[in-house]
């Protein structure tokens, strides 16, 4: 079982990953085999489970008090940015609808 | 005269510091020399922080680990020190903040010597997916140290640091501990804060430690455990004095021997070591009980749906906009995204993002993700049912000892199956550790002990009792003696 | 004719100090990215921690609209790539929202129509993209990223643009009343998307709908819906079909236009956010939200009618905002029982002179310089006859401008009304004496001249003579 090139490209597009043709073929094959493997679960008959837990220990999560304790520091944080100016992050212009 | 400090465990070094036999600065120099001499053969360190370490050692230090040199897996953010996750994506990333685990170890007086190599974004079981190249196993340089915390494991095993941090999403602390002959702890999900620990799969990720002994692990855990206001999944459960609890008697404890851990994939030589280790525990006073986890076989499939699903969203933030790699000469935003991510991530990371995207995408969510969540809840229930009857579970950490570099690179599935005994524990969120239990052809093998939620104290105590009765944890790779 | 079906999705920016999942400020208008912290920027290893106040506000809204508060709800990740979305996903609620159901009553002409709500859920806002700041670049300001929003989804049961506007106004009043939103639509504190479809009759299945995004004023909502309904009707009447699409309203050209069609259908890959455990609304949190609940506008207006004897119209005006209603109530409760009409007189003064003065100065009731107690004192002096209408206005102006109390002002301005019979009779006689011809005409049957006499007398008294008393005395003196 192998995933079609079309499926692979659709996933790559959703995940914003540029793949070359070789990668598309290879991933199609590998992903197909991995999905076939996890199909063991897909076909497994499961009894009704408690509501799926999102973390292993469901409890009341910690809620923060509404206080301002932090600020932005563009001059520091933007040292990590590939492109910034006047406190803004920059990207190639997005063509708006 | 060259010291032998690298043969000591953390406890031994603390004693020596307390008696004035050595100073923090002395320890720092000794271990920096070890790193300079041996790391080129091992490739454990991605970044060394020699200057910072010397400065810190020259100042007064207080705390339970004052003066102890450590290394951090390069997945923990360290303020002002490059943090790469062994990925091209973050090869120049310098976080302006410390992970909570890093901060708490600093406050305990530890001294960081550097950041260790790992599988890219912790995705891997062999440390071969690192952009900085594979780490080598100190017991056999042609073999893998395990992963993803391979750099931390090899560094401790080779005596480059007495202990190191790691992270464990599906076995990434326990498996390298087993492959390198170390003690490795993955605490209960929520026991340690995940803040500043770069996420792979948020519901499975947990920080942990690699050291020589269970006693050292207890010392590392007690200064790092506890709730953190920056992590809403960290637990408010009270922190136990783990070192004080080590000497609790083993007599009367019941240990469940999991039937399904003895499956077809288990190397019979490893199986024999498990039997011997269980016999030691029994002789020490533990009672062995056969138990069954009938759904254990689903753990790897569940894991390879949930972990990639979470990772596909967790890694969406690496888009070349605010930090990290950005492709050159891009004409449009779409090209910027696709090429920055295509260039920044290695094949294993891409593979998992693709699987995760697939199982979450329209039309597949119910069949894969939802079903996996349900199966996870059932698996967790199975574990809790068994752990209501016994104190701990025992079995092998890995099906085999360390494999050769390159041996499992052709098929991702064979690599994934290496984590068959460890994945389930993360899915259930339980605490577990691996301790050395002997050798197969000169390569160490690990015994895995699994506890009930937040039962780190009995877990560490039983491991400690085992180590009082055995010498496996004292073995050192000859080349790095 | 077509049957129109409209549903609104309203994003209400919650009035918290800090963001939904981080402790940076939500203040509007700060320099770019100075309120974008590590969590807001999605820095590696950072984690969301929910804001208790935001959760409490969502619960308060749910209670106010009579919705069901989910004991356990869940945050989910909605994945898509856009540069103003730092993590590559928005934390929202998907299949388990915090509020389910509830309703909002709107006035449609004379009657009241109940609009059922589908749900309300918490989510974080995205940042802002600026496309015209630098040539060839889009600039990103992520200060807004992470601001808490409550998305309120109505059922598709609004039948006209007027109903949609009435609903949005009612919702606006409500969230301001609850103190969970500042209601500032210009700053985007309340944003609205509208779904519209047409069908041949109310019995027919729903037609294909279009969604109009970002309608940020009542006027634009009305104009956009009016345009869109006409457009769809024209398409259908020409035998065409309406395309399911997202459209934008252009206020300059007063038309809606389709947004550039996406290359692929959106696939948001929702799944529960593993960084956030299920959100549990326990009794404590519910109780905290309950204490936030004021009496709601409709109930309060009804009580004003019942207790203070106001006309429904006046009660509606006075309850249109919580501070205004609070102000009126402070005045009314100080004067009620001290005169037969005192609460109504109070309403008259608050709606008339007070709102007029506030308007002139361009300030809101929150900033009103005149304390309710001082206005109440004035109302009492009107009620007990100390002040006549014109004099009361004079005193009000002085009261507004200065710090003196009402009685001091009445004395200083010599504004005390003359009610004394002897003094008034003297005045009456003086006026009759000065106008013998009018007196003749009155006696000959020109009744309207009574007003003239009273006016002359009031004028002669400097506005202080009690006109009612004067009228009676003139009649008495003239024998009819």
């Amino acid at each position: 079982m192998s995933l079609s090139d079309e499926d692979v490209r659709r996933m790559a597009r959703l995940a914003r990953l540029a793949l070359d043709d070789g990668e598309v073929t290879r991933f199609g094959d590998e992903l197909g085999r991995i999905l076939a493997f996890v199909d063991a679960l897909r076909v497994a008959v499961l009894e009704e489970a408690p509501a799926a837990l999102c973390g292993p220990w469901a409890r009341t999560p910690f809620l923060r008090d509404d206080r301002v304790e932090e600020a932005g520091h563009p001059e520091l944080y933007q040292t990590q940015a590939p492109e910034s100016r006047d406190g803004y992050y920059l990207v190639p212009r997005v063509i708006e609808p | 005269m060259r010291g032998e400090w690298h043969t000591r465990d953390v406890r031994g070094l603390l004693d020596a510091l307390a008696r004035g036999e050595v100073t923090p600065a002395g320890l720092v120099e000794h271990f920096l020399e070890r790193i300079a001499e041996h790391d080129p053969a091992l490739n454990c360190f991605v970044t060394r922080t020699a200057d910072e370490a010397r400065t810190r050692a020259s100042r007064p230090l207080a705390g339970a680990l004052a003066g102890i040199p450590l290394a951090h897996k390069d997945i923990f953010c360290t303020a002002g020190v490059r943090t790469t996750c062994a990925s091209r994506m973050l090869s120049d990333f310098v976080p302006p903040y410390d992970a909570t685990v890093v901060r708490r170890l600093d406050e305990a007086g530890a001294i960081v010597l550097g950041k260790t190599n790992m599988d890219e974004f912790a995705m891997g079981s062999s440390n071969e997916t690192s952009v900085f190249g594979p780490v080598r196993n100190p017991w056999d340089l042609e073999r893998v140290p395990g992963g993803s915390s391979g750099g931390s494991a090899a560094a401790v095993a080779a005596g480059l640091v007495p202990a190191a941090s790691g992270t464990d999403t599906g076995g990434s602390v326990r498996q390298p501990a087993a492959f390198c002959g170390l003690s490795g702890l993955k605490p209960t999900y929520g026991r340690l804060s995940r803040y500043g620990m770069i996420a792979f799969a948020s519901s499975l990720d947990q920080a942990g430690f690699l050291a020589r002994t269970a006693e050292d692990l207890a010392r590392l855990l007690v200064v790092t455990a506890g709730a953190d206001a920056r992590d809403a999944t960290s637990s408010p459960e009270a922190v136990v004095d783990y070192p004080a609890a080590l000497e609790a008697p083993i007599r009367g404890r019941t240990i469940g021997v999991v039937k399904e851990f003895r499956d077809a994939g288990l190397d019979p030589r490893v199986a024999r070591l498990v039997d011997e280790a269980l016999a030691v525990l029994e002789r020490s006073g533990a009672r062995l009980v056969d138990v069954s986890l009938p759904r254990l076989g689903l753990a790897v499939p569940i894991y390879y749906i949930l972990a990639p699903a979470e990772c596909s969203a967790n890694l969406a933030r690496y888009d070349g906009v605010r930090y990290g790699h950005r492709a050159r000469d891009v004409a449009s935003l779409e090209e910027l995204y696709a090429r920055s991510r295509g260039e920044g991530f290695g094949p294993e990371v891409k593979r998992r993002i693709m699987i995760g995207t697939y199982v979450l995408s329209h039309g597949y969510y119910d069949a894969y993700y939802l079903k996996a969540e349900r199966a996870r809840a059932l698996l967790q229930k199975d574990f809790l049912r068994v752990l209501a009857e016994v104190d701990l579970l025992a079995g092998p950490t890995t099906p085999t000892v360390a494999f050769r570099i390159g041996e499992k690179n052709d098929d991702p599935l064979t690599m994934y199956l290496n984590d068959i005994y460890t994945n389930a524990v993360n899915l259930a969120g339980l605490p577990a550790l691996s301790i050395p239990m002997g050798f197969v052809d000169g390569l160490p093998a690990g015994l895995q002990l699994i506890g009930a939620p937040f039962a780190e104290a009995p877990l560490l105590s039983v491991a400690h009792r085992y180590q009082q009765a055995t010498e496996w944890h004292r073995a050192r790779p000859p080349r790095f003696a | 004719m077509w049957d129109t079906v409209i549903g609104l999705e309203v994003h209400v920016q919650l009035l918290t100090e800090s963001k939904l999942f981080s402790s940076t400020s939500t203040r509007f208008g700060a320099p770019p990215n100075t309120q974008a912290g590590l969590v807001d920027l999605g820095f590696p290893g950072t984690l969301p921690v929910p804001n208790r106040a935001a959760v409490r506000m969502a619960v308060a809204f749910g209670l106010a609209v009579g919705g069901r508060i989910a004991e356990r709800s869940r945050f989910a990740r909605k994945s898509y790539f856009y540069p103003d979305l730092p993590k590559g996903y928005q934390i929202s609620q998907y299949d388990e929202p915090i509020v389910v159901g509830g309703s909002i009553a709107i006035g449609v002409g004379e009657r009241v129509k109940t609009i059922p709500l589908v749900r309300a859920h918490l989510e974080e806002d995205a940042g802002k993209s600026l496309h015209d700041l630098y040539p060839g670049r889009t600039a990103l300001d992520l200060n807004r990223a992470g601001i808490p929003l409550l998305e309120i989804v109505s059922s598709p049961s609004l039948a006209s643009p007027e109903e949609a506007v009435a609903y949005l106004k009612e919702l606006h009043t409500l969230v301001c009343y609850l103190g969970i939103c500042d209601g500032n639509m210009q700053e985007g504190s309340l944003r609205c998307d509208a779904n519209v479809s047409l069908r041949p009759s109310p019995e027919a299945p729903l037609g294909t709908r279009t969604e109009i995004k970002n309608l940020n004023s009542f006027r634009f909502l009305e104009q956009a819906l009016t345009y869109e309904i006409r457009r769809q009707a024209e398409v259908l009447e020409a035998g065409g079909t309406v395309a399911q699409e997202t459209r934008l309203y252009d206020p300059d050209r007063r038309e809606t236009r389709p947004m550039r069609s996406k290359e692929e259908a959106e696939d948001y890959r929702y799944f529960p956010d593993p960084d956030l455990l299920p959100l549990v609304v326990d009794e404590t949190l519910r109780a905290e939200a309950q204490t936030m609940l004021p009496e709601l506008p409709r109930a309060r207006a009804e009580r004003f009618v019942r207790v203070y004897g106001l006309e429904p119209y006046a009660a509606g005006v006075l309850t249109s905002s919580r501070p205004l209603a609070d102000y009126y109530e402070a005045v009314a409760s100080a004067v009620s029982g001290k005169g037969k009409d005192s609460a109504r007189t109070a309403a008259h003064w608050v709606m008339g002179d007070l709102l007029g003065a506030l308007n002139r100065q361009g300030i809101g009731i929150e900033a009103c310089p005149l304390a309710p107690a001082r206005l109440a004192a004035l109302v009492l002096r009107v009620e007990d006859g100390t002040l006549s209408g014109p004099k009361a206005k004079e005193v009000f102006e002085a009261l507004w401008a200065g710090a003196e109390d009402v009685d001091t002002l009445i004395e200083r301005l010599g504004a005390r009304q003359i009610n004394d019979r002897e003094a008034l009779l003297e005045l009456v006689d003086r006026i009759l004496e000065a106008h013998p011809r009018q007196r003749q005409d009155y006696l000959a049957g020109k009744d309207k001249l009574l007003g003239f006499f009273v006016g002359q007398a009031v004028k002669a008294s400097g506005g202080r003579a009690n006109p009612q008393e004067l009228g009676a005395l003139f009649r008495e003196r003239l024998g009819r």
Side-chain angles (χ1 to χ4, degrees):
Chain A
M1 175 176 140
S2 171
L3 223 57
S4 72
D5 283 7
E6 192 194 328
D7 276 345
V8 174
R9 285 186 208 283
R10 192 164 53 88
M11 292 307 128
R13 163 80 195 134
L14 268 176
R16 302 297 190 275
L17 286 173
L19 301 182
D20 59 38
D21 291 347
E23 283 177 305
V24 170
T25 311
R26 207 179 71 222
F27 279 138
D29 176 51
E30 289 171 353
L31 264 52
R33 276 187 292 151
I34 294 165
L35 290 168
F37 171 69
V38 301
D39 265 356
L41 177 70
R42 200 149 77 119
V43 300
V45 179
L46 298 178
E47 72 208 62
E48 273 313 302
L53 302 172
C54 97
W57 308 117
R59 57 176 172 85
T60 311
F62 178 77
L63 295 175
R64 204 168 46 75
D65 286 335
D66 183 24
R67 275 197 302 269
V68 175
E69 288 170 342
E70 240 181 295
H73 299 285
E75 66 299 336
L76 173 63
Y77 299 166
Q78 287 176 5
T79 58
Q80 301 304 307
E83 191 184 358
S84 63
R85 196 163 144 189
D86 308 330
Y88 293 101
Y89 292 96
L90 297 188
V91 295
R93 175 175 283 167
V94 183
I95 301 106
E96 277 291 277
Chain B
M1 180 199 120
R2 290 181 56 171
E4 297 300 315
W5 303 117
H6 59 277
T7 64
R8 305 275 189 101
D9 54 23
V10 171
R11 155 85 193 271
L13 294 174
L14 285 170
D15 289 346
L17 285 164
R19 285 196 295 264
E21 292 165 17
V22 67
T23 60
L27 287 184
V28 165
E29 289 311 321
H30 176 76
F31 283 102
L32 285 175
E33 271 173 40
R34 292 279 303 174
I35 293 169
E37 187 181 344
H38 294 294
D39 196 49
L42 294 167
N43 198 26
C44 298
F45 282 85
V46 164
T47 302
R48 300 180 198 179
T49 53
D51 293 345
E52 293 91 328
R54 288 189 175 110
T55 307
R56 196 164 150 75
S58 70
R59 295 185 182 143
L61 290 164
L65 296 175
I68 297 296
L70 290 181
H72 286 302
K73 184 178 182 178
D74 208 22
I75 198 169
F76 289 98
C77 287
T78 40
V81 175
R82 184 177 77 140
T83 299
T84 67
C85 257
S87 178
R88 185 182 179 195
M89 182 56 86
L90 290 178
S91 54
D92 297 317
F93 177 61
V94 181
Y97 49 98
D98 277 328
T100 298
V101 166
V102 169
R103 186 173 51 75
R104 288 183 178 171
L105 284 166
D106 270 359
E107 287 165 3
I111 302 171
V112 179
L113 300 189
K115 306 291 291 290
T116 59
N117 205 344
M118 54 184 280
D119 281 298
E120 185 180 6
F121 280 100
M123 296 175 202
S125 310
S126 65
N127 216 120
E128 293 169 287
T129 70
S130 165
V131 73
F132 301 108
V135 175
R136 290 168 185 274
N137 189 320
W139 293 92
D140 177 349
L141 296 181
E142 297 310 308
R143 290 182 187 261
V144 303
S148 64
S149 310
S152 285
V156 178
L160 311 189
V161 277
S165 62
T167 60
D168 190 318
T169 304
S172 283
V173 162
R174 290 160 288 157
Q175 183 250 22
F179 280 10
C180 291
L182 298 174
S183 302
L185 171 70
K186 180 206 94 74
T188 311
Y189 184 82
R191 180 68 303 179
L192 296 179
S193 166
R194 292 186 296 117
Y195 180 78
M197 190 176 106
I198 297 177
F200 157 18
S202 312
S203 77
L204 302 161
D205 293 345
Q206 183 60 197
F209 303 102
L210 294 123
R212 297 202 171 282
T213 65
E215 181 177 352
D216 286 0
L217 293 174
R219 291 175 188 279
L220 289 158
L221 182 63
V222 76
V223 298
T224 46
D228 178 9
R230 292 179 184 276
D231 175 4
T233 61
S234 67
S235 172
E237 186 85 15
V239 175
V240 176
D241 185 347
Y242 304 106
L246 287 169
E247 302 295 335
I250 194 167
R251 184 162 302 282
R253 301 239 195 235
T254 51
I255 296 175
V257 181
V258 183
K259 187 175 90 185
E260 288 77 12
F261 276 171
R262 204 168 271 273
D263 62 1
L266 180 62
D267 183 326
R269 296 168 299 176
V270 175
R272 200 170 318 124
L273 292 178
V274 173
D275 291 340
E276 287 170 17
L278 291 170
V280 171
L281 289 169
E282 196 170 24
R283 277 200 300 279
S284 308
R287 194 163 59 86
L288 303 183
V289 180
D290 285 327
V291 296
S292 173
L293 293 165
R295 271 181 285 239
L296 200 68
L298 292 177
V300 181
I302 300 171
Y303 182 88
Y304 279 96
I305 291 170
L306 297 184
E310 292 183 19
C311 116
S312 70
N314 279 335
L315 271 60
R317 67 188 61 200
Y318 306 103
D319 59 3
V321 177
R322 297 163 313 287
Y323 47 75
H325 176 72
R326 177 185 284 198
R328 287 181 189 282
D329 305 322
V330 289
S332 69
L333 178 71
E334 287 306 319
E335 196 186 344
L336 184 155
Y337 282 153
R339 276 189 40 215
S340 300
R341 291 167 59 77
E343 294 166 7
F345 294 136
E348 181 60 26
V349 172
K350 286 186 202 171
R351 194 177 289 132
R352 298 207 193 184
I353 292 175
M354 296 280 283
I355 300 170
T357 304
Y358 187 85
V359 298
L360 289 176
S361 66
H362 186 71
Y364 297 102
Y365 177 82
D366 287 5
Y368 288 108
Y369 184 87
L370 218 54
K371 187 118 188 223
E373 274 280 80
R374 240 175 80 198
R376 178 186 187 170
L378 289 170
L379 186 66
Q380 185 180 33
K381 227 172 78 180
D382 288 353
F383 266 107
L384 295 180
R385 182 175 44 75
V386 170
L387 283 165
E389 290 158 20
V390 299
D391 294 315
L392 313 172
L393 302 175
T397 307
T398 56
T400 66
V401 291
F403 46 87
R404 287 180 190 285
I405 291 174
E407 187 181 324
K408 303 198 182 205
N409 281 355
D410 293 339
D411 181 5
L413 269 180
T414 36
M415 186 73 89
Y416 295 172
L417 286 168
N418 197 255
D419 295 332
I420 193 157
Y421 305 136
T422 47
N423 282 172
V425 175
N426 298 75
L427 292 170
L430 302 170
L433 52 73
S434 178
I435 45 175
M437 61 168 181
F439 290 84
V440 171
D441 293 342
L443 294 168
L447 174 72
Q448 182 174 219
L449 298 176
I450 303 164
F454 301 104
E456 280 83 1
L459 198 59
L460 289 163
S461 159
V462 169
H464 177 63
R465 290 302 193 184
Y466 177 82
Q467 291 182 333
Q468 286 178 327
T470 57
E471 295 292 321
W472 303 117
H473 60 287
R474 295 196 201 284
R476 309 181 47 77
R479 206 191 142 124
F480 301 93
Chain C
M1 266 316 281
W2 298 90
D3 182 57
T4 304
V5 179
I6 301 169
L8 297 189
E9 288 173 17
V10 180
H11 288 89
V12 170
Q13 193 176 305
L14 295 177
L15 200 51
T16 55
E17 295 289 318
S18 65
K19 293 185 177 171
L20 182 51
F21 296 115
S22 78
S23 67
T24 46
S25 171
T26 55
R27 194 166 47 89
F28 182 80
N33 293 307
T34 54
Q35 289 174 184
L38 295 167
V39 175
D40 312 322
L41 294 168
F43 262 66
T46 61
L47 297 166
V49 181
N51 183 336
R52 189 175 181 88
V55 176
R56 192 167 51 219
M57 289 179 188
V59 174
F61 175 82
L63 293 172
V65 297
R68 185 173 68 76
I69 310 300
E71 230 170 89
R72 178 183 182 279
S73 65
R74 227 154 38 153
F75 286 108
R77 294 181 179 181
K78 176 183 182 179
S79 290
Y80 63 94
F81 284 87
Y82 200 74
D84 62 20
L85 186 71
K87 298 184 294 298
Y89 58 84
Q90 179 195 28
I91 306 179
S92 180
Q93 295 191 301
Y94 183 53
D95 49 3
E96 296 183 48
I98 187 162
V99 176
V100 180
S103 65
I104 284 181
I106 61 170
V108 182
E110 290 297 292
R111 66 192 182 88
V112 172
K113 178 172 173 181
T114 299
I115 308 301
L117 301 182
V118 177
R119 60 188 277 165
H121 70 253
L122 282 164
E123 64 182 30
E124 56 177 350
D125 207 347
K128 214 164 62 184
S129 302
L130 299 105
H131 304 290
D132 303 317
L133 222 46
Y134 306 104
R137 310 316 271 171
T138 288
L140 304 162
D141 174 7
L142 300 170
N143 280 346
R144 207 178 61 189
I147 286 187
L149 301 176
L150 187 67
E151 181 176 331
I152 300 158
V153 183
S154 84
S155 63
S157 41
L158 297 160
S160 67
E162 295 70 35
E163 286 190 20
V165 169
Y167 167 82
L168 189 61
K169 282 188 172 162
E170 197 69 42
L171 193 60
H172 183 268
T173 305
L174 174 64
V175 293
C176 293
Y177 233 80
L178 289 169
I180 64 173
C181 180
D182 67 14
N184 190 332
M185 294 177 84
Q186 261 150 20
E187 289 174 6
S189 299
L190 200 100
R191 311 199 284 270
C192 176
D193 302 337
N195 292 304
V196 201
S197 65
L198 302 186
R199 55 184 169 183
S201 73
E203 291 73 39
L206 287 174
T208 308
R209 69 196 169 122
T210 58
E211 183 180 12
I212 317 170
K213 286 270 183 203
N214 279 326
L215 297 165
N216 296 337
S217 77
F218 299 118
R219 192 159 50 94
F220 291 168
L221 174 64
E222 176 152 34
Q223 289 172 354
L225 286 173
T226 305
Y227 173 88
E228 182 62 16
I229 290 163
R230 200 180 61 225
R231 187 191 71 85
Q232 287 191 16
E234 280 166 10
V235 169
L236 294 170
E237 278 153 22
T241 51
V242 172
Q244 178 158 357
E245 61 189 359
T246 303
R247 301 177 70 90
L248 280 180
Y249 180 62
D250 180 344
D252 296 327
R253 302 168 69 169
R254 291 202 176 195
E255 62 181 30
T256 66
R257 276 201 306 273
M259 288 175 73
R260 192 169 57 106
S261 68
K262 304 247 168 89
E263 287 167 51
E264 79 259 353
E266 292 290 354
D267 187 343
Y268 291 124
R269 286 156 286 145
Y270 281 100
F271 76 105
D273 191 332
D275 285 331
L276 295 158
L277 298 171
L279 182 59
V280 175
V281 178
D282 57 16
E283 272 312 309
T284 321
L285 200 50
R286 230 186 130 94
E288 280 175 34
Q290 193 76 50
T291 60
M292 283 176 68
L293 285 191
E295 187 181 16
L296 295 175
R298 232 153 238 288
R300 202 168 189 184
E302 282 163 20
R303 186 167 57 82
F304 282 7
V305 170
R306 201 171 62 242
V307 174
Y308 299 127
L310 302 189
E311 296 299 320
Y313 171 77
V317 171
L318 289 171
T319 53
S320 63
S321 91
R322 190 168 158 188
L324 179 61
D326 288 346
Y327 190 98
Y328 167 71
E329 186 131 42
V331 179
S333 60
V335 302
S336 75
K338 300 174 183 167
K340 68 174 170 44
D341 253 353
S342 56
R344 284 156 60 117
T345 307
H348 172 81
W349 279 92
V350 170
M351 287 166 67
D353 294 73
L354 185 79
L355 286 184
L358 288 167
N359 256 338
R360 269 201 312 279
Q361 299 209 350
I363 52 178
I365 187 79
E366 302 89 340
C368 180
L370 181 58
R374 302 179 69 217
L375 184 62
L378 175 72
V379 171
L380 283 177
R381 290 294 165 259
V382 174
E383 275 291 298
D384 68 11
T386 309
L387 287 173
S388 64
K391 280 291 162 193
K393 281 188 184 298
E394 219 175 281
V395 173
F396 176 85
E397 293 305 328
L399 208 53
W400 180 266
E404 286 166 279
D405 69 47
V406 171
D407 291 333
T408 314
L409 276 171
I410 290 171
E411 292 316 318
R412 183 163 70 74
L413 297 172
R416 182 177 292 277
Q417 184 160 268
I418 301 165
N419 294 318
D420 176 63
R421 184 180 162 86
E422 291 307 314
L424 289 174
L425 271 178
E426 192 184 313
L427 196 57
V428 166
D429 292 340
R430 193 144 48 92
I431 295 299
L432 290 176
E433 212 165 296
H435 299 92
R437 191 153 48 87
Q438 284 81 351
R439 179 183 172 160
Q440 284 298 308
D441 292 351
Y442 179 85
L443 290 171
K446 252 186 149 178
D447 290 355
K448 280 188 182 154
L449 280 169
L450 185 65
F452 168 80
F453 292 132
V454 170
Q456 289 299 314
V458 167
K459 201 169 148 194
S461 73
R464 294 166 55 212
N466 183 330
Q468 278 83 39
E469 295 292 322
L470 283 172
L473 289 175
F474 272 112
R475 272 197 292 267
E476 186 184 318
R477 270 295 193 251
L478 294 165
R480 52 169 290 192

